[in-house]
Amino acid sequence: MDRYVAVQEPTCTWAVFDTFDDLPAQFGGVTLIGLEEAEALELAASANEQCSIRLREALALGRLRLVATKAA
């Protein structure tokens, strides 16, 4: 599941939402709302790629480790 998703707003514009926080995403202090569809899709994809890169780097450096748990 992607953290950032492009969603259509009631005003027919688009926004990028952070699914972890359930809030509009921000970039450089700018809230990503009122966008064109293509712009929202591109920004969401770019943000998800950056998250993926940071996660891979943290795992490679041993800053994070994945832990599996058994379902009860």
Side-chain angles (χ1 to χ4, degrees):
M1 182 173 139
D2 289 331
R3 177 174 178 169
Y4 298 97
V5 294
V7 296
Q8 190 172 24
E9 301 170 302
T11 58
C12 295
T13 57
W14 288 76
V16 177
F17 259 74
D18 181 338
T19 61
F20 287 10
D21 298 329
D22 201 27
L23 294 170
Q26 292 191 350
F27 179 76
V30 176
T31 303
L32 301 180
I33 58 174
L35 306 170
E36 297 290 328
E37 180 182 11
E39 187 177 28
L41 291 168
E42 183 178 328
L43 287 167
S46 179
N48 285 318
E49 179 61 24
Q50 287 301 312
C51 281
S52 183
I53 290 169
R54 285 192 302 258
L55 177 60
R56 286 192 303 269
E57 288 173 348
L59 287 168
L61 293 171
R63 292 183 184 155
L64 292 176
R65 62 186 177 101
L66 298 177
V67 178
T69 60
K70 289 184 180 179

